[in-house]
Amino acid sequence: MKYILSFLLACLLAACNSTPPSVKNEKAGKSTGAGSDAHGWIETETLKSRLGDFEFRNGYPTADAVKKLSDALVYNRAIEVYLDQMHAVSWYNVWKGVAAAGAGTPNQLVIWESLMDSETLLLTGNTETVYGLASLDLKRDGPVVIELPAMMLGGISDMWQNELAGIGPTGADKGLGGKFLLLPPGYSGKVPGGYITLKCTTFKVSLGVRGFMQDGKPDKAVALMKTTKIYPLSAATNPPATSFVNGSGKEVNTIFSDNYHFFEDLAELISEEPDGCLQSNERFLLASVGIEKGKSFQKDADRKALLEDAAKTASAMARVNSFASSDTAKMVYSDKHWEWAFVGGSATWDSQGYVNTDRRAAFAYIAIGMSPAMVKKIVGGGSQYLWTPRDANGEFLDGGKNYQLHIPGNIPVKNFWSVVVYDAQSRSMLRNGNRFPSLSQYSGPQINSDGSVDVYFGPDAPKGKEKNWIKTVAGKGWFPLMRFYGPLAPYFDQTWKPDDIRMIAKE
């Protein structure tokens, strides 16, 4: 008992003479809040992160930390704005590029009369169909009438690439053509009868139409497009003649910027369109980087530099998102490197029960035209698309190397197939010295005895394979897009599929 009492007394004395942990931390200049280490609370310390080092005193940021962290917040939000609003800025640049072509008259329709070629800067354009694009301004002109002939294909879209109406057999006109009346947002005037009436969600609207070649020539499709009429409703009794601009062979630039100008374009668009185009949280993100309807977007040198850096970083992320995404749903085949253009099979990107903005951005960085008609699975009708930036070994395609693509026989199309090559930088047709960096059944390729086709890519044509060669450019990455117009059942059930692109030795 004596020894037990002595032991307890010694423990008590030791406890009395010891310093509580909180006091020790205080002496060391640390905060004394209970459980601070367990919660990871910031105390008096230098916080080291991948964004930089930030000084704190007693839990408060220093003036330097306030500046750096405030900038980091704007920087991060600017990156998110870039990725989230890319599809709108892209389409706005298409609108501006088309509006500025030719004389830039209000009611002009730009038609690529001898097909689109590599002079036009447009995301993954097509060399086999005739394109027509018109930029309409309902704020300037009020309600606008578009008269379209029967059997035209295309659509009318707002500035966020939302389709207002399809055109063609599955569209609002059922392929019969007719008069479309486009009403501005909030329009409350009298609406006359006899029109296919569209209540538009933005003041700026794009009309896009396309036509197929007949007997390998675009003439009939062009002639059909030139029966289109565009004029204000106010001039319906005596409409002005529609102006037609030939876009072939001309540098019509419709590509958005990867620098500070991206945010300038977005600010312009927001200033001109209704608030209802965006959700409340989207408007908050825009406001947090200085883009707010009714307010100037003039920025000082420091903020311009920050947004320039953010745009560059965001564009780098966009390239990863488009060219190297980890989204497994992008793969068309389990044993090939071909990818879907519309990942998830939806033009509204909501196949998972929510809008997947990463998938939308992945498409928007390399393509335009978020039309439901481009996704519909119609055997013998419509169109389908495959693309890849990689060869059979999973390596990115290099313009200085030589490759071969074997397309098996009995290509499952009712109308036509094509392979078009694009520049990885501009995502437009590769400028390789030829007007059309493509191969299709219209171009007369050499066909193998079993009906298959071998396509060759590289800086120099393989001997004897010139008709099946698409020239690439050393120092430039490239990617192909395969189009199937009128795809047949073997395409959809995958009993037919193209081979991977394989690197070959130079002959």
Side-chain angles (χ1 to χ4, degrees):
M1 187 70 175
K2 175 182 177 182
Y3 295 108
I4 295 174
L5 290 173
S6 298
F7 175 75
L8 292 173
L9 180 60
C11 289
L12 181 61
L13 290 171
C16 291
N17 290 328
S18 66
T19 304
S22 60
V23 177
K24 285 184 178 178
N25 288 340
E26 188 175 277
K27 288 181 178 179
K30 295 288 187 179
S31 67
T32 61
S36 59
D37 289 340
H39 287 85
W41 293 328
I42 295 175
E43 306 178 20
T44 297
E45 60 184 279
T46 299
L47 176 66
K48 296 182 180 295
S49 78
R50 65 185 59 203
L51 295 178
D53 297 345
F54 309 104
E55 294 288 338
F56 283 79
R57 295 286 181 269
N58 301 323
Y60 292 112
T62 63
D64 179 65
V66 168
K67 174 65 168 64
K68 291 196 293 186
L69 285 166
S70 296
D71 283 350
L73 184 59
V74 174
Y75 181 76
N76 288 342
R77 285 176 173 168
I79 290 173
E80 195 61 34
V81 163
Y82 176 103
L83 297 171
D84 195 43
Q85 299 298 326
M86 186 197 305
H87 62 303
V89 175
S90 175
W91 203 232
Y92 180 45
N93 274 270
V94 172
W95 190 96
K96 291 198 297 181
V98 170
T105 58
N107 64 333
Q108 72 181 21
L109 177 64
V110 180
I111 303 174
W112 281 261
E113 297 184 20
S114 55
L115 303 176
M116 187 171 287
D117 53 54
S118 57
E119 285 301 304
T120 294
L121 291 172
L122 183 135
L123 296 178
T124 50
N126 188 337
T127 59
E128 280 70 44
T129 57
V130 179
Y131 279 111
L133 289 169
S135 298
L136 312 175
D137 190 339
L138 309 183
K139 184 177 286 186
R140 176 193 63 203
D141 301 331
V144 168
V145 177
I146 304 173
E147 293 187 26
L148 292 171
M151 300 312 296
M152 189 73 80
L153 297 173
I156 300 169
S157 301
D158 73 9
M159 286 296 98
W160 272 261
Q161 295 197 45
N162 298 308
E163 188 173 78
L164 300 169
I167 299 166
T170 62
D173 66 328
K174 307 301 181 185
L176 302 176
K179 296 181 179 181
F180 288 80
L181 175 60
L182 280 58
L183 302 179
Y187 181 75
S188 59
K190 184 178 180 181
V191 179
Y195 295 93
I196 301 171
T197 302
L198 303 179
K199 295 181 178 180
C200 298
T201 48
T202 57
F203 290 105
K204 287 181 170 57
V205 176
S206 287
L207 165 69
V209 291
R210 62 182 179 178
F212 297 123
M213 289 194 284
Q214 296 183 39
D215 301 320
K217 298 179 181 179
D219 305 21
K220 291 183 179 179
V222 171
L224 184 66
M225 282 186 190
K226 286 189 174 181
T227 63
T228 300
K229 297 179 181 179
I230 303 171
Y231 53 85
L233 178 64
S234 60
T237 56
N238 185 27
T242 300
S243 173
F244 299 104
V245 176
N246 184 3
S248 295
K250 298 180 176 64
E251 191 176 276
V252 180
N253 186 356
T254 69
I255 308 294
F256 61 93
S257 300
D258 283 344
N259 54 26
Y260 177 76
H261 295 304
F262 178 96
F263 295 106
E264 288 183 316
D265 284 340
L266 182 54
E268 281 180 11
L269 182 61
I270 296 302
S271 70
E272 296 167 2
E273 299 298 347
D275 281 338
C277 295
L278 297 173
Q279 300 295 321
S280 175
N281 64 308
E282 292 176 303
R283 293 200 300 274
F284 166 73
L285 281 176
L286 291 173
S288 70
V289 299
I291 298 175
E292 203 166 356
K293 190 174 179 67
K295 294 186 178 180
S296 171
F297 187 65
Q298 298 300 318
K299 302 301 170 189
D300 61 26
D302 183 60
R303 184 49 56 89
K304 280 186 178 180
L306 185 151
L307 293 176
E308 171 84 11
D309 190 11
K312 289 290 187 183
T313 302
S315 70
M317 291 178 176
R319 287 178 179 273
V320 171
N321 191 35
S322 294
F323 298 135
S325 167
S326 60
D327 189 341
T328 56
K330 71 181 182 180
M331 305 309 300
V332 180
Y333 312 110
S334 61
D335 59 341
K336 306 290 182 185
H337 288 89
W338 292 97
E339 302 181 18
W340 295 114
F342 289 91
V343 180
S346 168
T348 49
W349 313 103
D350 56 0
S351 60
Q352 298 161 295
Y354 52 84
V355 176
N356 189 322
T357 55
D358 283 345
R359 289 180 177 179
R360 184 174 65 191
F363 177 91
Y365 198 71
I366 63 172
I368 54 173
M370 297 180 184
S371 167
M374 298 173 71
V375 183
K376 287 181 179 177
K377 296 180 179 180
I378 305 172
V379 177
S383 53
Q384 290 286 312
Y385 310 85
L386 304 178
W387 79 286
T388 182
R390 299 179 185 275
D391 67 14
N393 296 319
E395 300 295 329
F396 287 126
L397 296 165
D398 185 335
K401 297 177 180 178
N402 298 282
Y403 301 89
Q404 178 183 1
L405 166 63
H406 180 73
I407 305 176
N410 299 314
I411 301 172
V413 291
K414 181 180 179 182
N415 297 323
F416 74 90
W417 61 269
S418 71
V419 178
V420 185
V421 167
Y422 302 95
D423 177 355
Q425 292 175 301
S426 70
R427 295 89 69 206
S428 300
M429 291 181 201
L430 179 67
R431 289 181 170 176
N432 62 3
N434 300 318
R435 281 191 66 199
F436 306 116
S438 61
L439 189 79
S440 74
Q441 66 187 60
Y442 291 134
S443 64
Q446 179 180 333
I447 309 295
N448 299 325
S449 59
D450 62 355
S452 64
V453 179
D454 290 304
V455 185
Y456 297 89
F457 311 90
D460 302 300
K463 188 175 181 180
K465 308 293 184 182
E466 291 82 1
K467 292 186 70 174
N468 290 36
W469 168 64
I470 302 175
K471 183 178 182 180
T472 59
V473 180
K476 281 188 174 291
W478 61 276
F479 62 90
L481 196 153
M482 288 194 72
R483 288 176 169 86
F484 302 83
Y485 278 80
L488 301 177
Y491 172 87
F492 292 109
D493 64 25
Q494 298 189 2
T495 54
W496 180 97
K497 52 188 174 183
D499 285 358
D500 273 332
I501 297 171
R502 300 185 181 280
M503 190 166 65
I504 58 175
K506 182 178 180 181
E507 293 186 0

